[in-house]
Amino acid sequence: MRNLPFSLVRIMLNSYISNFASWCGYFTEYFLATNGVKQGGVLSPVLFCVYLDELVHTLSEAKAGCYIGDIFVGALAYADDLVLTAPSANALRKMLAIRYA
């Protein structure tokens, strides 16, 4: 996402700045949603995939997760969920310690 056109970045920022939410509209007062993607938003799955792509690549390069043959299956993602699979507790700890920029 580092090389996106300025206008696209601005559109995305404007859609997330001052994003207010409530719990079913009547259980709570409206509150400022300061992180995450919009639940049910059209752009949300794309943003989640863009965010996860670099993380999954970094996890794959660490060679700590599970593989089926040559295929990395150490990070399985669906919708807004992510599952890490590792052959040992130490390998899982190594995966959990990975950070990326």
Side-chain angles (χ1 to χ4, degrees):
M1 282 188 51
R2 294 180 183 120
N3 297 323
L4 289 176
F6 179 74
S7 57
L8 181 58
V9 172
R10 189 150 177 98
I11 289 170
M12 291 188 331
L13 281 173
N14 284 336
S15 69
Y16 281 90
I17 293 174
S18 300
N19 185 28
F20 286 88
S22 70
W23 187 256
C24 297
Y26 51 85
F27 289 123
T28 64
E29 297 290 325
Y30 280 93
F31 57 91
L32 184 61
T34 58
N35 61 352
V37 294
K38 292 181 180 182
Q39 188 72 22
V42 175
L43 192 56
S44 296
V46 174
L47 292 175
F48 183 72
C49 288
V50 168
Y51 178 79
L52 273 191
D53 186 55
E54 189 174 342
L55 174 61
V56 172
H57 182 70
T58 304
L59 289 168
S60 176
E61 287 180 338
K63 305 280 190 221
C66 289
Y67 285 81
I68 297 177
D70 291 339
I71 300 171
F72 176 69
V73 291
L76 306 172
Y78 180 76
D80 62 350
D81 296 316
L82 177 68
V83 175
L84 299 179
T85 61
S88 68
N90 284 336
L92 185 58
R93 281 188 204 98
K94 180 179 177 182
M95 292 175 74
L96 289 171
I98 289 175
R99 299 188 187 274
Y100 69 101

